Each structure stands twice: as structure tokens, then as C-alpha cells.
Amino acid sequence: MLTIPAILFAFSLPVFATERPGVLIPRGVYEPFFRDQGEKEIPVGPFLIDRDSVTNAEFREFLKTHPQWRRSRIKKIFAEPAYLARWTGDTAFPPTMADWPVTNVSWFVARKFCEAQGRRLPTLAEWEYAADSRNPDHLQAVLEWYANPNAVLKNVRDLKTNAFGVRGMHGNVWEWVEDFSTVIMAGDSRSSNETDRKMFCGAGSLRAKDPAQYATFMRFAHRSSLSANMTGETLGFRCVREINSPKGTRK
Amino acid sequence: MNLLTTFFLISVLFPSGPGRACEQHAKAHAPSAAALPDQSIYNLDSTWTDQNGREVRFSELAGHPRIIAMVFTKCPSACPLIVQDIKTVRSRLTPEQQENLQVSLFSFDEQETKDTLSSFATKYKLDAKSWSVLRASKTSVAELAGVLSIHYKRLPSGEFVHANALFLVDEQGTIIAKSEGLGSAQKDFTEAVERAGRTLKTR
């Protein structure tokens, strides 16, 4: 089909930074975990997703050419004070962290990194699909991760690869998605507080399709708690690159 | 590079059309990017189009305190209530203050057109001297919702699920008050708007 020319096209695009290994996610269908009114399955792909989370070393390269995003210069509207908290300077961090996922980065900053590479953040649907999250194997891995409150960040090379060939989607860090703010949780349905209902115009049903998917529920709950300038010790990101098809680029 | 230079020259030689007196004042007095406080929402670089088809660079909104909210014109219930809440708050100001404490309504919907925006303004009798209803690209909408911490989602019907909030920003774009929920803005917010109104100098 389009696969081979698509890969060749994607890798022929000029990039400023070193080409980061990408995994081709073929055309597929994402079943939304939470379904709002009228929502059916969402077609995704094909797209190229970074095989690994963006690392501290890669992020440092970006900051060298984009100084306005350094810790000492970034505007607080774009990242809270904990931005790159574990780094020791604007472009310095302990050497052991080089191949760890970069964390303590905000949505704004993550987007800029991807943009500089001719890429973008994955949409929620793309991330969930590429994460192969319905695979029961992953459920166990994620629950083990949650059960370990003192988990340390790991080298991206040491993480598990899933059926698509993507590494580290579970068990190391949470990851930003472009449309994290589409996750709206208006609070406990037992509360009939009118004020809460007025907080959200048209809040949809919060019933998950499959209640056994506790791990996925946690991811969605986490996303609903985020603001764009927030950072987190265990919140990183990776990028996707569009693959142009005859249907045209995604809006 | 040639192409870039061409675009640069075009944008310099043919800027957007004449704005209202207040806008021209804002353009003349708007703080430069470097001078904007860290927390100013005007640090965002985006361009919006209002209900009259006029292009507005987001940072040009600096220079006056402003009431801001995010809506969409197809909205059946919540957004008209947001408009009503804003009118109620503004009714505490003198007519002169009302003219200077402007309102900008930004749409979640990148598919809005000049017609949908102006129909909305007409329907809710939004005085053009003080009210703007604006649209921009999907990315610009996401970034604005990002700095305002508003969660929102497009439904298959074309309508949006979204948080409801009003914001008062000062002349430099720092959020100084926020009112969440519908059906009469909170007391703190109303008082903040009154204070902002009182400090406005006649221009």
C-alpha cells in the first residue's frame, strides 16, 4: 500500500536535529476509553512515532539552539518554576541522566521541541493506540509500576518494547499529548451539586467502556488534572511525524 | 530566504486595516515582547480574526484591562449565560468605563467564520465598541486554552464540551481575577472588575 513510499518519504524530509528512530504505526482504529455524545471509534494513522521518549541529552541539543526555552529564560506562563528541576543548570544535568526521559517539562515546551524537529505531539488517540494499551500484558506492567512508589527513571533503552515496536510507553513516565485538555472530569457523579455541573458546558458521560482498565483510567485521570504550564517528575513526552497520504494532512 | 524577505516586506508595507481608537492607542502603547511580565498571556504569539473580519495580533490586546472568556457560537446554553454574566458584571461600571474595559470572546471553534461570529454578536446585542468575538487556528485555540487552563473538547456534533470561566486581565495581560461556573459571576470577580474600572483613565 502506502507503507514503503511513506517510510521513504518520511525519512527524506530535512531535519535540523539528528534523525530520531521512529516506528511506523499503520492505519488503525482507536476505541475511545471515555465516549462522549456521538463519539464512535477514531481512525488513526498511519504516522511515525518516536521509538523512545525524548531524552535529557536530546532536549539539551534543542535548548542549545533555542535559548529562550532555557530554564533561566523561559517565561513562567509557559512553564512553572519546577521546569527541569533535576537539571543542574540551563544546559547541564548529571551524566547518568543523559538517556533518561526528559521530565519536568511543560506542554508548551514539549510542543516546541517537536515543532523544531518538524514533528508534533501525538494526539490522545494516537498515543493510546500506539501504546497498545488494551493488551493485557501491559495492564500488569502498569499496575506493577503504580505499586512501586519509589520507582526511579530508567534509561530509555532498558524499557519494554510493545507489539508495534514502540518502547517505554508504560512503566516509566507519563507522557504529554497534544489534546490532553479534552479530558474533562466533572467530578463524582454522586455529587448533585449544581455548581459543579455549571463548571462544564455539556459534560459527557464518564462511564469507561471497560471498567477493568484501571491503568488506562489512571492515565486519563492524570491528564484531566494537568494544565499546560505544569511539569512533573515523571511526566515526559515523545513526538510523532505525520505521513502525507492522498487523503491529505490531518487538520 | 528570498521568500521570507518577500513576506516580511509585505507584512510591513500592508499592515491590517485601521482599528478603533482604543486599538490604535494599544498598538502605540502595548508593551514590547521583552517588557511583558512573565505571567502575561500576551506572551502568546497568535493572530485572531474578529466579527468584522479584522485581524488582531493577540499581543495588541495589551494596554487596557480586559474581560476574557472562551465560547463558541453554536453553543446553545452555556455561552449565552457567559455573555449575560459579563454584561451583569459590566453594568457596575459607568458607560465611559464600559467603553474602556473591553471584552474579548475567543471561540474554541477554528471553523468559525466572520458570519458566524457577527451573527453571534448581533444575536446577543454585543456593542462593537466594547465587544470582540474572535476566531483563530486550532493551534492558537489550544495555546490560549492552555494559558487559561481551560479544558475543552470538540464533539462529533460540532459542539464543544468546555469549562466555563471568566477572566479579568490587566493591561499587561496578567490574570488578576477569575470566575468559574455560570449564572452570576462570583463576588470577588465583580469587585475586581469594579476596581479595574475605577483605575481606568479617560483616553
Side-chain angles (χ1 to χ4, degrees):
Chain A
M1 232 186 24
L2 290 162
T3 315
I4 293 172
I7 295 176
L8 289 175
F9 173 76
F11 282 107
S12 70
L13 291 171
V15 287
F16 292 109
T18 324
E19 183 64 44
R20 306 183 63 243
V23 174
L24 176 68
I25 306 294
R27 202 180 306 274
V29 152
Y30 165 64
E31 299 271 350
F33 188 66
F34 288 118
R35 280 177 197 255
D36 282 299
Q37 244 176 335
E39 260 199 323
K40 298 180 175 38
E41 52 197 27
I42 299 171
V44 292
F47 58 91
L48 273 176
I49 188 164
D50 288 350
R51 185 186 61 199
D52 294 303
S53 309
V54 175
T55 63
N56 284 298
E58 287 159 341
F59 198 73
R60 178 169 54 191
E61 287 311 302
F62 161 73
L63 291 179
K64 284 180 179 167
T65 51
H66 295 76
Q68 70 274 30
W69 295 94
R70 293 180 193 170
R71 199 165 70 171
S72 65
R73 290 184 46 174
I74 196 166
K75 302 256 184 174
K76 291 199 174 40
I77 193 84
F78 295 133
E80 59 171 348
Y83 176 48
L84 295 177
R86 294 178 81 168
W87 285 34
T88 51
D90 265 5
T91 52
F93 49 77
T96 44
M97 283 173 59
D99 291 327
W100 293 2
V102 63
T103 59
N104 286 120
V105 287
S106 68
W107 176 80
F108 287 108
V109 162
R111 285 165 99 242
K112 277 296 165 186
F113 175 94
C114 293
E115 195 184 292
Q117 305 240 330
R119 293 178 168 88
R120 56 169 176 80
L121 283 177
T123 62
L124 193 154
E126 287 168 344
W127 195 97
E128 288 289 319
Y129 185 73
D132 193 21
S133 21
R134 296 208 170 241
N135 188 327
D137 290 346
H138 295 294
L139 188 61
Q140 194 53 36
V142 175
L143 291 175
E144 278 170 13
W145 176 38
Y146 293 155
N148 186 353
N150 297 315
V152 296
L153 295 183
K154 299 190 197 104
N155 188 310
V156 296
R157 284 191 301 273
D158 297 337
L159 300 171
K160 289 201 174 101
T161 303
N162 71 13
F164 284 119
V166 189
R167 213 154 49 176
M169 293 292 259
H170 298 290
N172 200 24
V173 293
W174 310 97
E175 292 190 345
W176 281 111
V177 292
E178 169 68 16
D179 52 345
F180 73 92
S181 61
T182 58
V183 185
I184 296 171
M185 291 184 171
D188 203 308
S189 59
R190 282 173 294 183
S191 153
S192 59
N193 190 339
E194 269 296 312
T195 311
D196 284 343
R197 262 196 280 239
K198 284 180 197 164
M199 298 272 283
F200 297 95
C201 170
S205 158
L206 297 173
R207 271 166 299 157
K209 194 168 181 282
D210 178 0
Q213 290 282 338
Y214 174 74
T216 303
F217 180 85
M218 288 300 293
R219 271 201 307 286
F220 277 76
H222 179 251
R223 288 173 186 133
S224 77
S225 73
L226 293 172
S227 294
N229 77 332
M230 278 174 66
T231 67
E233 267 292 285
T234 53
L235 175 57
F237 71 102
R238 70 183 69 209
C239 310
V240 305
R241 188 198 289 283
E242 306 238 353
I243 294 175
N244 288 338
S245 68
K247 285 195 180 138
T249 49
R250 208 172 288 108
K251 243 194 306 198
Chain B
M1 275 304 142
N2 233 354
L3 202 60
L4 264 168
T5 316
T6 311
F7 278 121
F8 175 71
L9 285 172
I10 288 174
S11 67
V12 164
L13 293 172
F14 300 101
S16 53
R20 299 183 289 257
C22 186
E23 275 178 15
Q24 285 172 331
H25 175 270
K27 273 180 198 166
H29 290 257
S32 67
L36 283 174
D38 250 42
Q39 291 286 10
S40 168
I41 64 174
Y42 300 136
N43 281 307
L44 278 182
D45 185 18
S46 56
T47 304
W48 296 73
T49 314
D50 73 10
Q51 71 269 37
N52 297 310
R54 197 180 301 126
E55 270 203 354
V56 179
R57 191 124 182 236
F58 193 56
S59 52
E60 284 166 16
L61 298 178
H64 289 247
R66 185 171 294 273
I67 294 176
I68 281 176
M70 292 192 78
V71 297
F72 64 103
T73 65
K74 272 160 58 169
C75 184
S77 53
C79 307
L81 285 175
I82 287 178
V83 169
Q84 190 49 53
D85 281 354
I86 295 174
K87 284 185 177 177
T88 305
V89 168
R90 275 166 53 85
S91 66
R92 314 284 298 216
L93 306 171
T94 68
E96 198 174 33
Q97 288 170 346
Q98 285 187 33
E99 228 180 273
N100 283 320
L101 207 162
Q102 304 206 334
V103 186
S104 298
L105 302 178
F106 297 90
S107 179
F108 292 108
D109 190 352
E110 77 279 4
Q111 293 176 23
E112 301 278 12
T113 63
K114 177 169 165 273
D115 287 340
T116 59
L117 297 175
S118 63
S119 298
F120 184 86
T122 306
K123 183 172 178 186
Y124 295 105
K125 300 186 178 50
L126 304 181
D127 173 11
K129 284 202 294 262
S130 305
W131 295 73
S132 299
V133 195
L134 307 116
R135 71 152 296 282
S137 69
K138 208 166 166 191
T139 304
S140 297
V141 170
E143 288 171 354
L144 178 60
V147 296
L148 298 177
S149 296
I150 290 190
H151 282 231
Y152 68 104
K153 180 177 184 178
R154 176 188 280 279
L155 297 177
S157 64
E159 293 187 15
F160 284 80
V161 173
H162 62 94
N164 295 312
L166 307 179
F167 300 85
L168 175 67
V169 297
D170 69 13
E171 64 278 357
Q172 291 188 300
T174 303
I175 297 172
I176 52 181
K178 177 179 181 180
S179 173
E180 291 181 276
L182 295 174
S184 85
Q186 288 155 19
K187 192 156 160 288
D188 289 346
F189 185 81
T190 309
E191 284 171 1
V193 171
E194 287 175 351
R195 271 198 304 276
R198 281 197 295 274
T199 58
L200 280 171
K201 301 186 187 70
T202 345
R203 302 196 198 273

